[in-house]
Amino acid sequence: MNILLLSMPDSFEHMPSVAIRMPNGALTSLAGNVDPHHRVAVADLILVQRRVRETIERLVREVEPDVVGLSVMTFQRHTALRIIELVRRLRPAARVVVGGYDASLAPDAYTDPSAGVDFIVRGEGELTFRELVRALERGADLTSVAGLSFKCGERFTHNPDRPVNGLDEGDVRLPNRGARVLKGYTMVGRQVDVIETSRGCTFDCSFCSIIEMRGRNFHTYNFDRVLADIRDARAHGARAIFFVDDNITLNVRRFEGLCRAIIAAGLNDLDYTVQAMTSAIANHGQTLAPLMRQAGFRYVFLGIENILDEDLEFLRAEAKNRRRGDGASGGNAAVTAIEYLHQNKMYVVGGMIVGNPTDTRASIETNLDFVRRYVDVPYIQHPTPYPRTPMTKTFRDQGLIINERLEDYDGTTAVVRTAHLDSDEIEFLRWRADRWIKLKHLPVALIHTPLFALRNGLKMLRYTFRGTTIRSILGLEDERKSFERYRALRRAERVYL
């Protein structure tokens, strides 16, 4: 069978196309887990944001797919449905499969006949998709495929959920990066790839879709498999690696062992970026941080979330930000973690969430001041009511959701208000600070890749300050006019078809 797998072109505000374009690791994992006699093409449409229609037309013509699979997040749903319409016109006989967070947590959005969907892969997709393809090839019964929803007449049948995979039995094979048909993955001028060493998390943060999708658990791949995956990524041209684990520092001793394994294997010539838990770095940073730097880690995304106790309680993130032994939490743990990372010449991407139900202007500014002082690269988001998360229920119960347009559920469009501030004011406060904080780190990032800096430094600056005028910077024009221009540009950027 011929299989075409697509990720959506919709991207996050913090990932400008000229500088950061990450591959969708789920698609190459699906490609690596179907039987090898099938022909699979993987296309990350984020690489062709201004050429989506012509790219799909070309790929459908060249691949002649029997199956088309789409990986979808909530803010990408509208685009996904438009792409399905296009695929249906180009290849009416193709079977359409959707998966990913949105399809898993809101499957009913894809069961209406007008959606044009034949199958929904819920939860972890590798084994479910493999069994689906086998069943289609053989004309077999689909009711035994766990984790699958399938169209039966005008209705959908939802099979029981597939149990979470333990990862240690070898059922999930390595990704097939050779199936990619588009190029251009970049991390500030260096070709980037994604690696997964574990899945899951045992915490219960109120904003987290992962817990809703797979429960509270933690499963790991063995180091031999992880190192083989890194070698494969490097063989395909990667010079930077992003570890996409849900919570890789949940087991600090294992993460230390992984760092040592990378060093021993001579794979520390790559630039690594990792998502880390604030408490883990704060409590173990004295030994962990030097080891991370030796292994090649350059950027660490810290899930600081917020530095105020009331907000951390709402986000259910207190334990993740607690420093062991002295009862301190929040800001104290974050500062300690950041100091360990800075002492070992690593840069901090600060994950923050502002605009929580009781937030005031003062509480938001307190968090923004913290980011200005301590964080190298801001990743400031607004709480977003994704399907089935505890946060969503709270905001809905309190009547604080003011925007139901899912295209705006990208994390940096404020779609909820607080008890004290409207959504426009919340988003304005973030935008006003975010540009200048990013500017601080821009020279550092560009110096690391001088050729990229020469070619793209001005583009990066224009992206960071798009909508902003000199008159606004000089105080001769109300900043809110620049803010409205910025929002208009963002809305225009989201039109892909």
Side-chain angles (χ1 to χ4, degrees):
M1 298 178 69
N2 295 335
I3 301 170
L4 176 61
L5 301 176
L6 304 171
S7 71
M8 299 303 95
D10 317 67
S11 59
F12 292 106
E13 163 76 7
H14 296 298
M15 295 185 177
S17 59
V18 67
I20 303 175
R21 278 295 171 259
M22 297 284 182
N24 183 310
L27 294 188
T28 48
S29 188
L30 290 178
N33 280 277
V34 296
D35 296 320
H37 63 277
H38 297 293
R39 178 190 176 201
V40 186
V42 169
D44 285 299
L45 297 177
I46 200 169
L47 300 174
V48 290
Q49 287 181 318
R50 305 274 70 89
R51 306 189 309 278
V52 172
R53 182 181 299 274
E54 63 188 81
T55 300
I56 293 173
E57 290 174 346
R58 175 178 62 82
L59 291 174
V60 169
R61 185 170 60 250
E62 293 174 355
V63 177
E64 297 182 336
D66 303 297
V67 174
V68 177
L70 296 86
S71 177
V72 190
M73 299 181 73
T74 298
F75 75 104
Q76 300 170 333
R77 186 190 297 175
H78 176 74
T79 301
L81 295 175
R82 294 284 306 279
I83 288 175
I84 293 170
E85 287 180 10
L86 176 59
V87 168
R88 284 294 185 201
R89 289 198 300 269
L90 297 171
R91 186 80 172 170
R95 309 289 189 92
V96 174
V97 188
V98 294
Y101 283 116
D102 194 48
S104 297
L105 299 180
D108 290 348
Y110 298 91
T111 57
D112 190 283
S114 64
V117 172
D118 298 302
F119 306 100
I120 303 170
V121 171
R122 310 186 318 269
E124 294 175 307
E126 290 93 349
L127 303 187
T128 302
F129 189 67
R130 181 195 300 170
E131 292 179 17
L132 169 62
V133 171
R134 286 175 178 172
L136 292 177
E137 185 179 30
R138 299 167 184 167
D141 180 29
L142 296 172
T143 57
S144 63
V145 181
L148 180 70
S149 299
F150 61 96
K151 191 175 181 181
C152 187
E154 292 299 308
R155 302 175 63 85
F156 264 75
T157 295
H158 301 283
N159 293 345
D161 293 340
R162 180 175 294 276
V164 172
N165 194 290
L167 303 183
D168 54 357
E169 296 180 358
D171 293 333
V172 180
R173 307 168 191 153
L174 284 171
N176 177 7
R177 295 180 173 87
R180 292 171 178 158
V181 293
L182 301 177
K183 295 181 180 180
Y185 306 109
T186 183
M187 179 77 164
V188 193
R190 298 194 172 194
Q191 185 172 328
V192 68
D193 215 320
V194 295
I195 299 289
E196 182 184 53
T197 86
S198 66
R199 292 181 182 176
C201 180
T202 57
F203 288 88
D204 65 342
C205 299
S206 66
F207 53 83
C208 186
S209 298
I210 295 162
I211 302 302
E212 298 304 312
M213 186 166 169
R214 57 173 289 131
R216 295 173 67 181
N217 51 66
F218 182 68
H219 297 289
T220 62
Y221 290 114
N222 64 61
F223 288 167
D224 287 342
R225 186 197 190 277
V226 173
L227 297 177
D229 203 2
I230 296 173
R231 290 190 185 99
D232 183 68
R234 186 169 67 172
H236 281 87
R239 294 298 173 265
I241 298 291
F242 180 32
F243 286 111
V244 296
D245 299 43
D246 303 318
N247 193 345
I248 199 171
T249 53
L250 191 62
N251 184 336
V252 172
R253 297 304 170 214
R254 176 182 179 272
F255 184 49
E256 289 178 340
L258 176 60
C259 291
R260 293 191 182 94
I262 289 171
I263 296 165
L267 294 170
N268 53 339
D269 58 339
L270 303 172
D271 279 348
Y272 293 97
T273 298
V274 68
Q275 301 177 112
M277 192 164 54
T278 304
S279 61
I281 303 296
N283 294 328
H284 303 275
Q286 188 169 1
T287 56
L288 179 59
L291 192 59
M292 291 172 63
R293 188 68 194 104
Q294 188 181 354
F297 286 89
R298 179 172 174 81
Y299 286 94
V300 178
F301 183 106
L302 271 187
I304 301 167
E305 318 306 3
N306 204 283
I307 62 165
L308 301 177
D309 289 346
E310 185 176 11
D311 279 335
L312 285 174
E313 182 179 356
F314 165 70
L315 297 168
R316 299 185 189 173
E318 308 103 310
K320 288 171 52 181
N321 290 275
R322 183 176 299 124
R323 189 175 177 191
R324 188 179 60 212
D326 60 3
S329 62
N332 289 335
V335 169
T336 302
I338 291 168
E339 287 175 345
Y340 278 131
L341 295 171
H342 282 169
Q343 288 165 11
N344 288 277
K345 298 182 173 55
M346 287 177 280
Y347 298 107
V348 174
V349 181
M352 305 286 284
I353 302 175
V354 299
N356 301 303
T358 60
D359 273 356
T360 62
R361 176 186 289 267
S363 65
I364 290 176
E365 290 290 4
T366 297
N367 277 281
L368 295 176
D369 286 342
F370 178 90
V371 176
R372 290 186 188 96
R373 181 175 179 183
Y374 292 105
V375 167
D376 301 296
V377 183
Y379 203 102
I380 308 167
Q381 299 197 85
H382 305 300
T384 305
Y386 294 121
R388 288 170 44 186
T389 63
M391 172 184 286
T392 299
K393 185 178 186 306
T394 299
F395 276 110
R396 199 167 294 284
D397 289 348
Q398 295 183 17
L400 298 176
I401 299 174
I402 54 85
N403 184 345
E404 302 280 359
R405 291 184 73 250
L406 297 185
E407 305 95 283
D408 292 333
Y409 281 36
D410 58 359
T412 45
T413 301
V415 297
V416 299
R417 56 160 303 161
T418 78
H420 308 282
L421 295 172
D422 64 34
S423 60
D424 284 355
E425 183 68 11
I426 297 164
E427 190 175 334
F428 172 73
L429 293 173
R430 177 200 59 79
W431 167 84
R432 186 175 62 180
D434 192 73
R435 314 167 286 167
W436 296 102
I437 303 170
K438 286 176 180 173
L439 182 64
K440 177 181 67 174
H441 186 69
L442 191 57
V444 177
L446 296 178
I447 288 170
H448 188 56
T449 50
L451 288 178
F452 175 83
L454 289 172
R455 293 172 183 159
N456 300 291
L458 187 57
K459 291 179 183 177
M460 287 280 292
L461 190 62
R462 285 174 177 166
Y463 180 86
T464 302
F465 282 85
R466 66 197 192 283
T468 302
T469 64
I470 297 296
R471 286 176 54 81
S472 175
I473 292 173
L474 295 176
L476 302 176
E477 178 185 77
D478 186 348
E479 274 190 305
R480 292 180 185 274
K481 291 185 177 179
S482 290
F483 174 60
E484 290 305 324
R485 282 192 292 268
Y486 152 80
R487 295 215 295 186
L489 287 169
R490 284 189 64 197
R491 285 192 291 269
E493 290 168 355
R494 293 187 185 133
V495 179
Y496 304 103
L497 286 169

